[in-house]
Amino acid sequence: MFKYFLGNSPKWFKMTMIGFLIFNIFSFFILGKTVTAWLFIGEFIFTLAMALKCYPLQSGGLLAIEALALGLTTPKNAYHEVDQNLEVVLLLVFMVAGIYFMKPLLMYIFSKVFTKIKSKVVLSVLFVLLSAVLSAFLDALTVTAVLISVAVGFYGVYHKIHSSSSDHDEDGILDRKELSGETLEQFRSFLRSLIMHGVVGTALGGVCTLVGEPQNLLIGERLGWDFIEFFMQMAPITLPVLVLGVITTIVLEITCWFGFGAKLPKAAAEIIERYTEKEDQQRTEKQKYGLIVQGVSALLLIAGLALHIAPVGFIGLALIIVQTAFMGIIDEHQLGHAFEEALPFTGLLVVFFIIVAMIHDQHLFSPIIHWALEQDPSSQPGLFYLANGILSAISDNVFVATVYIGEVEAAFKSGQISREHFETLAIAINTGTNLPSVATPNGQAAFLFLLTSSLAPLINLSYTKMVKMALPYTIVLGGVGYIMVKLMLG
């Protein structure tokens, strides 16, 4: 049983997980529910950190089942959390699959971008700004799905050349020899840094608008703010953060600190450029027609998301239907591949909601909220920002924002705080849950999605490496956000 338990994961990890599962039972009866619930959070974060050794659905799922069995939460309350976040679940299932059918178009565009823009600094800034703008009008998970698709496709091109007997640059040396060893590691580092810039960009843009992140919409609805008013309320804090975020990108690329700065190897750039030119020449009429369908679908997708004509998941489903219908993809097994990327993460997200339900049921964050509301009103925005940021980094920013805005709204309705102070705290909660939460993959669903995607092992992106690469952004985004909150709201 021990041999097959959690498959090929390290023996010490298997023993640790068994130790957690046994210790939690003793902790429940000896240390009590609250302490045990905090232990579950720490253990769940540990399973996320080990994502490349063992996918967290199994290890984290066992913890979630135990939390239910011990009565730290109930299936009904866990279902309520899923129900509250159904739009995110539908988004993952359908939007990621819709993007799958758009891969040829994305690869066509980004292979040109990668090979034509020679400056890594310019390319990195482009990724940050593009991700930020798209996230502001679409949502961070959709944009992250696009980034992952692009990177996986680009890595696939590299791997295809690397595993063949070709010589695309015609220098008399087989491409696979030129693309091995240090060149391969540099290529991985190049992709890793670009993707990290991109997902940080989703946080920079996502905080700015009503639709950028799920909690933004929730906060906006509680305050009665429309799209423009939400943007204007957040702008004094979010726009300086965006500028400093872009400057951080430039500094990291120039200095090569924290694992950034790797350039696309010259040999790889030349070989890939020749390969894409050859692919362009050999493209069939059917493939050209497919690119046109995907291009039209992309325009419809942007229009649908920008106008918010339906929940994001429904738009993703429509995207699948339109693309497959007009490209002639009608076999069930051809459709199945599109859903392979998102469904494991969807399962993991449901497990995550069980842990969130446990946090809610055990009132783990309530003491912090009540303490903050008892402090001097002028210091409350800064305190709420810090509390939201720290808690979002260890749990989930959507959950933290939901709990905090609910408590603050209750204080407003009871006459404890004024409408103006309610708005001030809402801005602090929104920026606090969006900016410092880039510290860990737990804080933002987009980061967690990247960590557990098929791309992460290809580019050697582990939990610890992601935390290390996000650290400078965490300091700048979190720090500048706090300073602006103190200056503008204090």
Side-chain angles (χ1 to χ4, degrees), residues 230-425:
F230 186 95
F231 175 78
M232 295 305 293
Q233 291 279 6
M234 299 298 162
I237 296 160
T238 57
L239 294 185
V241 171
L242 176 61
V243 172
L244 268 294
V246 172
I247 292 170
T248 305
T249 301
I250 296 168
V251 171
L252 288 172
E253 282 301 320
I254 292 171
T255 59
C256 300
W257 290 342
F258 295 93
F260 291 98
K263 295 175 174 61
L264 179 62
K266 189 179 178 183
E270 289 174 357
I271 291 167
I272 290 170
E273 194 168 353
R274 295 288 179 88
Y275 172 82
T276 52
E277 285 172 5
K278 191 175 179 182
E279 287 290 296
D280 291 345
Q281 292 167 3
Q282 295 176 347
R283 189 168 284 111
T284 64
E285 290 300 316
K286 183 181 179 182
Q287 289 171 328
K288 289 177 183 176
Y289 168 73
L291 289 177
I292 294 169
V293 172
Q294 291 157 35
V296 173
S297 300
L299 294 175
L300 292 173
L301 169 65
I302 292 167
L305 289 168
L307 297 170
H308 305 289
I309 58 175
V312 181
F314 284 10
I315 295 172
L317 181 57
L319 187 67
I320 295 170
I321 293 166
V322 169
Q323 287 185 106
T324 53
F326 284 93
M327 290 195 297
I329 301 171
I330 56 172
D331 294 330
E332 188 179 355
H333 75 275
Q334 285 181 286
L335 292 170
H337 295 301
F339 293 91
E340 289 173 1
E341 177 71 40
L343 285 180
F345 182 73
T346 308
L348 175 60
L349 202 63
V350 172
V351 166
F352 190 72
F353 290 142
I354 296 171
I355 302 297
V356 168
M358 178 196 72
I359 294 171
H360 192 87
D361 287 358
Q362 299 308 315
H363 309 290
L364 298 186
F365 297 164
S366 296
I368 305 169
I369 299 170
H370 295 144
W371 173 80
L373 281 172
E374 289 168 2
Q375 304 308 304
D376 178 52
S378 63
S379 65
Q380 283 183 19
L383 289 172
F384 268 76
Y385 177 90
L386 289 174
N388 276 263
I390 294 165
L391 292 173
S392 293
I394 62 171
S395 59
D396 168 61
N397 57 5
V398 179
F399 167 71
V400 173
T402 305
V403 173
Y404 268 74
I405 198 67
E407 294 282 348
V408 172
E409 186 182 31
F412 166 65
K413 286 181 175 177
S414 67
Q416 193 177 340
I417 59 174
S418 66
R419 167 71 190 190
E420 186 183 0
H421 196 54
F422 180 29
E423 291 183 357
T424 300
L425 292 182

Side-chain angles (χ1 to χ4, degrees), residues 147-214:
L147 290 173
I148 290 169
S149 292
V150 167
V152 168
F154 199 53
Y155 187 90
V157 169
Y158 189 101
H159 181 71
K160 191 173 181 180
I161 302 168
H162 184 247
S163 58
S164 69
S165 301
S166 59
D167 182 20
H168 287 287
D169 55 351
E170 299 173 355
D171 61 353
I173 305 171
L174 289 180
D175 291 337
R176 67 163 168 250
K177 189 172 181 181
E178 291 183 88
L179 298 181
S180 298
E182 286 184 20
T183 307
L184 177 58
E185 288 310 309
Q186 190 180 338
F187 179 72
R188 282 174 170 158
S189 184
F190 165 79
L191 275 185
R192 191 165 58 237
S193 60
L194 275 183
I195 287 297
M196 282 303 295
H197 287 315
V199 290
V200 169
T202 65
L204 286 168
V207 67
C208 294
T209 65
L210 190 65
V211 297
E213 292 278 354

Side-chain angles (χ1 to χ4, degrees), residues 44 48 51 55-56 85-93 96 135 139-148 195-196 198-200 202-204 206 212-216 341-342 344-350 352-353 356 391-400 433-454 456 461 463 466:
F44 188 72
L48 297 176
Y55 192 73
N85 292 278
L86 183 60
E87 194 167 336
V88 179
V89 174
L90 290 176
L91 158 70
L92 276 170
V93 173
V96 176
S135 295
D139 69 84
L141 271 174
T142 303
V143 176
T144 305
V146 172
L147 290 173
I148 290 169
I195 287 297
M196 282 303 295
V199 290
V200 169
T202 65
L204 286 168
E213 292 278 354
Q215 70 267 29
N216 299 17
E341 177 71 40
F345 182 73
T346 308
L348 175 60
L349 202 63
V350 172
F352 190 72
F353 290 142
V356 168
L391 292 173
S392 293
I394 62 171
S395 59
D396 168 61
N397 57 5
V398 179
F399 167 71
V400 173
T433 53
N434 275 296
L435 297 173
S437 58
V438 301
T440 69
N442 317 38
Q444 300 223 4
F447 279 58
L448 189 60
F449 185 35
L450 171 61
L451 179 68
T452 56
S453 70
S454 60
L461 183 63
Y463 187 99
M466 185 180 273

